[in-house]
Amino acid sequence: MNKAKHKLRWLAVNVCRIVLAVTFVFSGFVKIVDPKGTQYKFVDYIQAFGWEAWVPEFVPLALAISLAVFEFCVGINMFFGMRRRFTSWLYLLFMLVMTPLTLYLWLTNPVEDCGCFGDAITLTHAETFIKNIVLLLMSWVVFRYFRLMTRFISERNQWTISLYSIVFGLILACVSLYRLPVFDFRPYHVGADLKAAMEIPEGLEGPVYETTFVMEKDGVREEFTLEDYPDDTWTFIESKTKMVSEGFIPEIHDFSIILTPEGEDITMNVLADTSYTFLLIAPHLEEADDSNVDRINELYDYCVEHQYAFYCLTASGDEMIETWKELEGADYPFAIADDITLKTIVRSNPGLVLLKNGVVYNKWSCNTLPTSDQLNAPLEQSLMGRLQLDSRLMVTLRVLLWFLIPLRLVVFADRIWVGSKLYKRMKHRKKINNLLKTRKMRKKIVAGNWKMNLNLQEGVALATELNEALTADKPNCDVVICTPFIHLASVANVLDTNIIGLGAENCADKEQGAYTGEVSAAMVKSSGAQYVILAHSARRAYYGETAEILKEKVNLALANGLKVIFCIGEVLEEREAEKQNEVVKEQLAGSLFDLTTEQFSNIILAYEPVWAIGTGKTATAEQAEEMHAFIRATIAEQFGAEAAENVSILYGGSCKPSNAKEIFAKPNVDGGLIGGAALKCADFKGIIDAWKA
Ligand code: PGA
């Protein structure tokens, strides 16, 4: 793909992703700050679908909070480019569910406003459907090319932000529920002039309604209007009112207060009152929280004392009002208002509103009602009586700070944690564990160790036979034969080094000089060999080769360009005492841990449990794998994950064609070091072929 096309795609993905993110953060946020509003919307849907009977009461609120926090968090994840595949998939899935659903709502119209942006933005069902189609297409683009989403936060910190946005969403929802919505998008917000919001501007018409009358005469029914209202020979049956022209509908058009039991409409009196009026709003007294009823009664006494009007507005019937009066000792007057209007005015049952001159001065939820301390002075002189106007900008800034400051702290804490030794150790462990689980591309090797067997002629014959067999049927692993010193030069002559490598079984721990009987690493190299076995258990046991001596040998071998097959392994008593790991680690550390990573890249390890060498007793594949994994983890700790990933670890000890396949199948076994079975061409080839499928 050319660069320009790629850039364009990147741009498209990132533009879509920002639009999607902002939409979800916004729609989630406006629901979070008004959980009750979202709850009412869910109740509307449940009622419209006739599901009230089988949906438990807590469900609408639980759904409201879950949906709000879900949208908010997915939006945040999308914005920062966190968990890109999962987030884009989640978004797409959500849109795939919501889009057909909104089409259904458009066609059936069970509830007027869909509620996707709470009270902040009201969309018709058609608009919502079109919006969802656009979001669906965008979320498909983002899902398809999620990798092109630029991250705004390092992968390391993403979990903190994900988790934090969930916690933040939940806490903000609870605060809004306990107090009142942090943002109030409704026409009754603090600072709203209710009178003005109810007026129809001059020159504009209000909605026009037509009332028709169904009348009956001699068994015939007909409809009449006021203009052609018939004479009294017709009997009135019913009247129907319908809106014939919408006209201008003021922001507030359903606010009326009817004093009970008098039946007097006191709406305008209340709104025109130049002093203070308290409205206790309790849409349904039967559901109202009465835990702070004493504060309400105290407040009423305070109002009587200072001559402020006080009404309890409810949509409950007379009987319930009487019960409330009796139970709660309420002396204040009651007035009837529309249930939905009351729920819109304040998101608490009961909630409290302070009006002056038709303007909303203050609002309280049932949990934050004024206390007696606050009621010790007339409102004219107290803070409570002042208009509590917070500009939207200030509130937005405050909420943003509430989000950002703790977020920074959480990220900071995460950085400290990430910098900690414990985390590093855990991460390292995880890396090693991953490394141990998969077989990498490191070399697969089968090496023969002839030990002190075969004379020169026999050795050359075996090498020739093996060379022919492997030339005819190429191995798919590296093959090495390690022979006694005197065989090396002759065997080198008969081997095709592209197929079979050659190695010695030992070399001296001195460079050169008066070491009668010894063979130096340089001499081995000069014979044509490329490998040398060191630290075989026989040499450790019978020739007293210590870790120090072996260290010298390893250094000299490497310095002379030989690859070292370094043997390690525990004896039976050590295994029985479950000390095998300890022993093997010590052997590695004693002779190899001073090497550089570069030098270590020329080491091949051979794990040979001494109790399995030449005894016919093989370690089980599981035992071998367990130890090989331990060896690799040890190497990772010392030389790093890459070195551990690349080092071949061979198993040795009674390895035969019959068991090689099972052992080699283990992810940390990279081949074998073969003794007895390397002395016969067919057996050795059988083991080599274990690498073939
Ligand atoms: P073995 O020997 O296969 O005969 O057990 C292995 C070794 O000593 O390398």
Side-chain angles (χ1 to χ4, degrees):
M1 186 170 48
N2 67 39
K3 256 190 166 166
K5 206 164 156 195
H6 181 80
K7 265 202 163 154
L8 213 65
R9 194 171 279 174
W10 174 88
L11 191 70
V13 169
N14 283 286
V15 167
C16 290
R17 155 277 184 107
I18 294 292
V19 174
L20 295 175
V22 170
T23 312
F24 256 36
V25 169
F26 181 71
S27 68
F29 186 77
V30 293
K31 290 187 190 97
I32 285 176
V33 295
D34 186 9
K36 264 207 172 293
T38 319
Q39 175 192 3
Y40 293 150
K41 192 49 68 186
F42 272 111
V43 171
D44 288 351
Y45 279 113
I46 289 168
Q47 282 171 354
F49 292 119
W51 294 341
E52 306 96 306
W54 56 272
V55 178
E57 233 174 80
F58 72 91
V59 169
L61 184 61
L63 275 179
I65 295 179
S66 317
L67 177 71
V69 175
F70 172 82
E71 286 184 350
F72 180 71
C73 294
V74 171
I76 292 282
N77 272 18
M78 183 68 94
F79 181 81
F80 284 105
M82 302 186 300
R83 293 197 173 73
R84 297 176 298 184
R85 183 204 293 265
F86 180 63
T87 304
S88 52
W89 173 83
L90 216 56
Y91 209 119
L92 180 65
L93 191 72
F94 189 80
M95 292 321 300
L96 280 172
V97 173
M98 291 316 278
T99 311
L101 196 67
T102 44
L103 175 64
Y104 175 76
L105 294 180
W106 182 17
L107 298 177
T108 57
N109 198 26
V111 168
E112 281 266 307
D113 156 36
C114 73
C116 31
F117 295 122
D119 286 309
I121 301 175
T122 315
L123 296 181
T124 64
H125 287 309
E127 287 163 346
T128 304
F129 177 66
I130 293 164
K131 174 208 78 175
N132 281 356
I133 289 280
V134 175
L135 294 184
L136 179 62
L137 291 176
M138 287 184 160
S139 53
W140 183 83
V141 171
V142 173
F143 174 72
R144 173 82 179 73
Y145 302 108
F146 70 91
R147 282 204 177 84
L148 296 184
M149 250 196 268
T150 303
R151 289 182 203 277
F152 293 152
I153 192 93
S154 72
E155 245 183 308
R156 198 174 62 182
N157 280 323
Q158 60 183 15
W159 71 271
T160 358
I161 298 188
S162 286
L163 200 69
Y164 177 69
S165 48
I166 296 176
V167 174
F168 176 82
L170 288 174
I171 292 181
L172 189 59
C174 291
V175 169
S176 300
L177 213 52
Y178 185 81
R179 302 174 72 85
L180 287 177
V182 184
F183 285 92
D184 194 342
F185 298 106
R186 284 153 290 129
Y188 303 89
H189 58 85
V190 172
D193 182 343
L194 304 189
K195 257 185 303 166
M198 288 168 78
E199 271 164 18
I200 296 175
E202 240 177 82
L204 286 181
E205 292 283 326
V208 179
Y209 298 94
E210 188 185 73
T211 307
T212 52
F213 304 90
V214 180
M215 313 290 276
E216 195 179 85
K217 185 176 175 180
D218 304 332
V220 182
R221 282 190 183 191
E222 262 184 56
E223 273 190 34
F224 299 91
T225 63
L226 262 183
E227 279 82 47
D228 60 354
Y229 200 78
D231 58 34
D232 57 9
T233 55
W234 290 79
T235 317
F236 172 80
I237 301 296
E238 61 172 337
S239 69
K240 295 179 192 166
T241 302
K242 64 172 191 230
M243 192 193 277
V244 282
S245 111
E246 260 195 7
F248 177 85
I249 303 176
E251 208 183 357
I252 297 178
H253 52 274
D254 45 11
F255 181 63
S256 79
I257 310 174
I258 313 290
L259 205 57
T260 181
E262 295 83 345
E264 183 193 342
D265 186 338
I266 55 164
T267 318
M268 281 309 150
N269 303 354
V270 168
L271 295 184
D273 193 343
T274 52
S275 178
Y276 296 99
T277 304
F278 279 101
L279 300 178
L280 180 69
I281 311 276
H284 296 285
L285 288 168
E286 49 275 44
E287 293 163 12
D289 180 344
D290 60 359
S291 50
N292 281 328
V293 79
D294 290 345
R295 286 206 207 165
I296 298 173
N297 293 342
E298 266 175 39
L299 178 68
Y300 178 60
D301 294 343
Y302 167 85
C303 289
V304 172
E305 188 188 331
H306 293 92
Q307 295 179 355
Y308 304 132
F310 185 109
Y311 300 99
C312 175
L313 270 50
T314 180
S316 291
D318 289 344
E319 214 175 297
M320 190 55 226
I321 293 175
E322 287 311 317
T323 314
W324 178 270
K325 280 183 181 170
E326 238 169 75
L327 284 178
E328 315 296 355
D331 294 331
Y332 38 82
F334 281 76
I336 301 300
D338 178 62
D339 153 54
I340 295 179
T341 307
L342 294 179
K343 285 178 177 167
T344 312
I345 295 174
V346 64
R347 297 295 201 209
S348 176
N349 184 16
L352 185 69
V353 175
L354 178 63
L355 289 183
K356 189 181 177 189
N357 246 334
V359 174
V360 179
Y361 264 52
N362 210 337
K363 282 186 181 187
W364 296 265
S365 83
C366 61
N367 302 304
T368 58
L369 292 170
T371 59
S372 40
D373 289 352
Q374 291 168 287
L375 301 176
N376 54 10
L379 286 175
E380 289 77 4
Q381 294 159 23
S382 76
L383 190 68
M384 229 171 77
R386 280 191 224 142
L387 184 58
Q388 303 295 316
L389 205 52
D390 255 350
S391 79
R392 290 243 158 109
L393 182 69
M394 283 311 289
V395 180
T396 313
L397 279 177
R398 217 165 43 218
V399 172
L400 257 179
L401 285 183
W402 270 110
F403 183 64
L404 294 178
I405 292 177
L407 181 69
R408 284 301 328 156
L409 289 178
V410 171
V411 171
F412 182 63
D414 178 60
R415 295 258 155 123
I416 292 178
W417 157 242
V418 163
S420 74
K421 274 198 180 143
L422 182 66
Y423 174 80
K424 279 190 185 142
R425 221 175 296 149
M426 277 169 56
K427 205 171 142 197
H428 188 61
R429 272 268 131 238
K430 197 169 153 204
K431 210 166 167 187
I432 293 173
N433 283 340
N434 287 343
L435 172 97
L436 299 180
K437 272 186 228 139
T438 46
R439 181 190 290 287
K440 299 286 166 182
M441 294 312 291
R442 56 185 163 258
K443 278 196 171 145
K444 298 176 278 189
I445 303 170
V446 174
N449 174 14
W450 287 2
K451 307 187 181 175
M452 201 173 75
N453 293 300
L454 310 175
N455 66 25
L456 179 61
Q457 290 72 31
E458 287 164 345
V460 171
L462 175 59
T464 312
E465 191 187 355
L466 192 65
N467 196 60
E468 273 167 16
L470 295 184
T471 309
D473 181 15
K474 295 250 164 31
N476 62 355
C477 63
D478 283 8
V479 175
V480 180
I481 50 175
C482 299
T483 75
F485 293 128
I486 63 137
H487 295 56
L488 287 173
S490 312
V491 169
N493 280 333
V494 300
L495 292 184
D496 175 351
T497 47
N498 290 322
I499 302 176
I500 307 177
L502 180 62
E505 297 169 16
N506 184 23
C507 73
D509 61 340
K510 301 285 186 295
E511 208 172 341
Q512 65 167 35
Y515 301 103
T516 308
E518 286 296 287
V519 175
S520 72
M523 291 171 186
V524 171
K525 180 77 180 172
S526 70
S527 72
Q530 309 91 39
Y531 297 84
V532 60
I533 297 175
L534 291 176
H536 191 277
S537 62
R539 304 255 5 132
R540 291 182 196 260
Y542 310 140
Y543 302 98
E545 292 190 355
T546 62
E548 274 308 307
I549 295 174
L550 290 169
K551 199 161 141 180
E552 290 303 315
K553 291 191 177 194
V554 169
N555 284 333
L556 286 167
L558 292 176
N560 283 284
L562 291 170
K563 286 187 192 309
V564 174
I565 301 174
F566 190 84
C567 305
I568 44 183
E570 79 285 356
V571 297
L572 189 59
E573 300 81 71
E574 288 162 342
R575 164 118 342 223
E576 280 170 353
E578 293 186 356
K579 284 191 169 156
Q580 65 273 24
N581 288 5
E582 213 177 291
V583 170
V584 164
K585 190 170 180 177
E586 217 173 279
Q587 290 170 340
L588 287 168
S591 307
L592 301 181
F593 276 12
D594 286 342
L595 296 180
T596 63
T597 312
E598 162 86 42
Q599 285 174 312
F600 186 78
S601 65
N602 286 311
I603 302 283
I604 296 157
L605 296 172
Y607 168 60
E608 298 198 308
V610 182
W611 46 271
I613 298 176
T615 58
K617 256 196 199 168
T618 336
T620 62
E622 286 67 37
Q623 280 173 325
E625 169 62 14
E626 198 181 314
M627 177 54 90
H628 282 221
F630 170 75
I631 295 169
R632 203 176 299 286
T634 308
I635 296 303
E637 265 157 29
Q638 179 65 23
F639 294 101
E642 201 184 330
E645 212 168 290
N646 293 332
V647 66
S648 298
I649 308 177
L650 315 183
Y651 168 77
S654 301
C655 191
K656 306 181 274 273
S658 58
N659 59 22
K661 208 168 191 140
E662 192 193 346
I663 298 174
F664 293 178
K666 296 293 174 189
N668 284 290
V669 178
D670 305 308
L673 179 57
I674 319 299
L679 297 173
K680 283 202 182 110
C681 178
D683 287 350
F684 194 51
K685 182 156 184 307
I687 296 174
I688 293 166
D689 288 346
W691 277 120
K692 295 186 176 167

